[in-house]
Amino acid sequence: MQAQTLYEKLWSSHVVHVEDDGTALIYIDRHLVHEVTSPQAFEGLKLAGRKPWRVDSIVATADHNTPTDHWEQGILDPVSRQQVETLDSNIREVGALAYFPFKNERQGIVHVIGPENGATLPGMTVVCGDSHTSTHGAFACLAHGIGTSEVEHVMATQCLLQKKSKTMLISVEGELGAGVTAKDIVLAIIGRIGTAGGTGYAMEFAGSAIRSLSMEGRMTICNMAIEAGARAGLVAVDDKTIDYLKDRPFSPKGETWDRAVEYWRTLHSDEGAQFDAVVELDAAKILPQVTWGTSPEMVAAIDGIVPDPALEADPVKREGMERALQYMGLKARTPIAEIPVDKVFIGSCTNSRIEDLRAAAEVARGRRKADNVKLVLVVPGSGLVKRQAEAEGLDKVFVAAGFEWREPGCSMCLAMNADRLEPGERCASTSNRNFEGRQGAGGRTHLVSPAMAAAAAIAGHFADVRTLA
Amino acid sequence: MKPFQKLDGLVAPMDRANVDTDAIIPKQFLKSIKRSGFGPNLFDEWRYRDVGQPGQDNSGRPLNPDFVLNQPRYKGAEILLTRDNFGCGSSREHAPWALEDFGFRVLIGPSFADIFFNNCFKNGLLPIKLAADEVDALFAQCHGSEGYRLCVDLQAQTITRPDGKVIAFDVDPFRRECLLNGWDDIGLTLRHADKIRDFEARRRIAQPWLFA
């Protein structure tokens, strides 16, 4: 048989029907649901008198609107509260395999709770009305974000209409330097290929540097595939994948586990498989990254400077850079390490897992945040992550450093709850998007790794975590 | 879904690359549980000088006169010229809902982000990809002539410029049919319900752990 890529294996094992022009119906195994992109879908189903096709494919949680403090007060914003209550009542009416509502001990960011509960398994197709669904590709799932019409379509038919993507291999070989993390790898990739570099592709991450990462690190990389334009990111199954999933609540057990593992071991690109595009990076050359602009591709290494738009030949790009510098309140050629920060956010579906919190705590241990830093928010990705971090004493390290230890949720990644930047405030953030207004109207976001975010909190400006005094 | 066949419409230019869906419709408006009413908040942060809130009356808000869609010459525009990677970022379908609610039916640009591109077709909005030099020429003509209009014919897959030049464009045949007829995807898919059931039954035997 012809050598296949991992994407081709996942695709061909889910095709139900193909139209003449290649548009395919693909079967969906797991449907993750949250409160923001589902109400109109539930309403659409109801209006059409349709029932969900397979309720036990649904795993739901409330994460975008939920507050991260004073849970005893409930959700104060009435509009946010209505959205969360709408999800409650929709799930009550329709059902689900699992629902982790606001305040549940296993509630959390939808892309954190899927894997940690074993609800994300290799070989699945996973969809969610959220672009960061690409995260689940770390488990060799075909996972991508969909719109609300598609949420309704999947609920009604258990299928999605799709065109097959092209395939891109991103190979990162070599050893990462100390203090360089998965976040730095993926920011470096986006810096190389641009935010539209992966448009139309499913992106497989491979190479010794990717294999050396934990599952948490691989999730960070796949999470930001969408920031490189690719709807889906993928990593092949190996021992780490299987070890991670063993004994999770929804992972298979006993004999079924053995059968599953046998199948999962086939989920990798075959030797000699052909990709439509290949990008190679040398891990040893990647330094800690900091974004300086309003698109994730506007990124530099910590020892770099803010680039000068005058040197850009393409007029559309040059204007984009000028506009970004104006919005960000930055001058060309400013050394990255001299940019001060007002706030720090450690959290989001990119970087709120236990390993991320450990990395931030390691930097914060025995240190204090700088006086010019008004707020350092640490928001765990889920109730389970929170509990694990507290068992390890990480919460105490953060509090001793002057950081705030909060309840789980999406929080200041997109500022739908009360956690946000004020106009003009500058933030070192472990989230995934530095778009204008993303963390609050007029807010200025710089994307970094958890260790680099903690280093900025301590130094009061961006600082090289490898040489932090 | 509203069908789309042919449109002779006023054109507005959105002359910047990487316009993300956060810019198209900011997060506070995503708290709505409705599908409609997003038009007044399209490009909210660029369009107004204050920070908008959901449920607010937008008629008295201070406008940013520099923002392109606030210029009188583009009032009533139904076709938006865009640059590379329009619609990147969040998968929020509120972005096409807002564009459609504002009055746009056609977007023309060199490239669109995948999820956004897909979401447009579900809402009677036609995104058209053209070669970069064709798009450059349209921007130049649009900037240069007030009341600039284009005629977009989905059946013929053509855009006709005021100077008579006809530009052909590609669109997936399946999407084209759906849009021309205003077909509901779900209804179409359910014609294959037996196939889906068969597939599911086979899967249940081969990979029972997916159905636990």
Side-chain angles (χ1 to χ4, degrees), chain A residues 13-17 19 21 23 25 27 29 36 39-40 43 50 53-54 65 77 79-80 82-83 86 97 121 123-124 129-131 145-150 152-153 156-159 161 163 195-196 199-200 226 229 231 252 256 259-260 263-264 297 316 323 414-416 433 435-441, chain B residues 15-18 20-23 27-28 30-35 38 45-46 51 53-54 83-85 88-94 97 111-115 118-119 122-123 136 172-175 184-187 189-197 199-200 202-212:
Chain A
S13 64
H14 287 87
V15 172
V16 174
H17 171 81
E19 299 287 341
D21 74 345
T23 303
L25 264 188
Y27 186 81
D29 297 306
V36 179
Q40 298 87 351
E43 190 190 43
R50 289 173 175 137
W53 183 283
R54 186 157 79 83
N65 280 278
D77 175 351
V79 197
S80 287
Q82 185 195 24
Q83 199 162 51
T86 303
L97 174 70
L121 296 172
M124 275 182 167
D130 190 288
S131 60
I146 56 178
T148 297
S149 295
E150 291 177 316
E152 185 181 338
H153 189 278
T157 70
Q158 212 56 42
C159 289
L161 283 162
K163 269 279 180 95
T195 51
T199 303
I226 185 66
R231 293 181 77 167
T256 319
R259 265 180 77 190
Y263 169 62
W264 295 345
E297 70 187 24
V316 176
R323 201 181 289 122
L414 86 168
M416 273 189 83
R433 291 189 175 133
F435 300 155
E436 287 184 24
R438 172 80 179 180
Q439 295 191 290
Chain B
D15 202 354
R16 51 167 94 183
N18 297 315
D20 59 75
T21 53
D22 273 84
K27 82 279 294 175
Q28 63 269 37
L30 274 50
K31 296 179 187 185
S32 167
I33 57 171
K34 300 281 171 226
R35 263 186 125 97
F38 295 99
E45 284 180 22
W46 294 345
V51 177
Q53 293 306 327
R83 291 291 187 184
D84 262 318
N85 205 25
C88 61
S90 159
S91 60
R92 58 188 70 168
E93 196 164 318
H94 311 66
W97 292 340
S111 67
F112 297 90
D114 281 343
I115 301 177
N118 206 36
N119 284 340
K122 314 287 181 190
N123 294 284
D136 283 343
D172 287 341
F174 182 78
R175 282 178 164 143
D184 160 22
D185 277 356
I186 296 177
T189 296
L190 286 174
R191 291 180 310 168
H192 304 295
D194 287 345
K195 267 189 158 175
I196 302 171
R197 267 190 286 272
F199 181 93
E200 195 167 55
R202 286 197 304 275
R203 196 160 181 76
R204 203 179 277 275
I205 293 164
Q207 297 184 36
W209 59 87
L210 296 176
F211 295 82

Side-chain angles (χ1 to χ4, degrees), chain B residues 36-111:
Chain B
S36 55
F38 295 99
N41 301 110
L42 176 71
F43 297 116
D44 200 87
E45 284 180 22
W46 294 345
R47 195 164 147 198
Y48 300 100
R49 285 203 155 138
D50 61 352
V51 177
Q53 293 306 327
Q56 181 183 11
D57 174 12
N58 296 289
S59 59
R61 293 177 59 197
L63 292 172
N64 170 10
D66 297 333
F67 181 59
V68 59
L69 297 182
N70 287 335
Q71 293 169 22
R73 64 184 279 195
Y74 299 121
K75 193 173 162 53
E78 295 176 280
I79 298 170
L80 190 66
L81 294 182
T82 64
R83 291 291 187 184
D84 262 318
N85 205 25
F86 187 86
C88 61
S90 159
S91 60
R92 58 188 70 168
E93 196 164 318
H94 311 66
W97 292 340
L99 286 160
E100 200 270 344
D101 197 56
F102 185 86
F104 289 113
R105 297 302 308 278
V106 175
L107 309 172
I108 302 173
S111 67

Side-chain angles (χ1 to χ4, degrees), chain A residues 55-230:
Chain A
V55 164
D56 67 8
S57 68
I58 297 174
V59 172
T61 195
D63 54 4
H64 285 61
N65 280 278
T66 55
T68 59
D69 59 356
H70 298 296
W71 271 13
E72 73 289 352
Q73 295 176 7
I75 302 173
L76 295 178
D77 175 351
V79 197
S80 287
R81 190 171 61 238
Q82 185 195 24
Q83 199 162 51
V84 172
E85 287 171 353
T86 303
L87 179 66
D88 284 340
S89 72
N90 281 329
I91 297 292
R92 211 168 29 237
E93 193 179 325
V94 165
L97 174 70
Y99 180 41
F100 306 116
F102 176 45
K103 294 190 187 179
N104 183 287
E105 62 173 12
R106 287 202 277 163
Q107 178 266 354
I109 305 174
V110 69
H111 307 308
V112 175
I113 64 164
E116 77 180 2
N117 284 289
T120 300
L121 296 172
M124 275 182 167
T125 40
V126 180
V127 295
C128 176
D130 190 288
S131 60
H132 290 111
T133 309
S134 58
T135 309
H136 306 264
F139 293 84
C141 295
L142 180 53
H144 50 69
I146 56 178
T148 297
S149 295
E150 291 177 316
V151 170
E152 185 181 338
H153 189 278
V154 172
M155 282 183 184
T157 70
Q158 212 56 42
C159 289
L160 197 61
L161 283 162
Q162 282 282 291
K163 269 279 180 95
K164 196 171 176 183
S165 302
K166 293 179 284 181
T167 55
M168 181 182 285
L169 176 69
I170 305 235
S171 172
V172 190
E173 291 287 352
E175 213 168 310
L176 284 176
V180 182
T181 67
K183 184 65 162 287
D184 303 301
I185 296 179
V186 73
L187 284 171
I189 290 168
I190 297 165
R192 165 85 79 87
I193 69 172
T195 51
T199 303
Y201 290 92
M203 206 175 253
E204 180 174 344
F205 300 97
S208 57
I210 303 296
R211 284 196 301 276
S212 76
L213 295 174
S214 66
M215 290 313 294
E216 283 86 351
R218 295 174 188 183
M219 282 189 258
T220 299
I221 301 241
C222 288
N223 174 274
M224 290 190 71
I226 185 66
E227 261 56 68

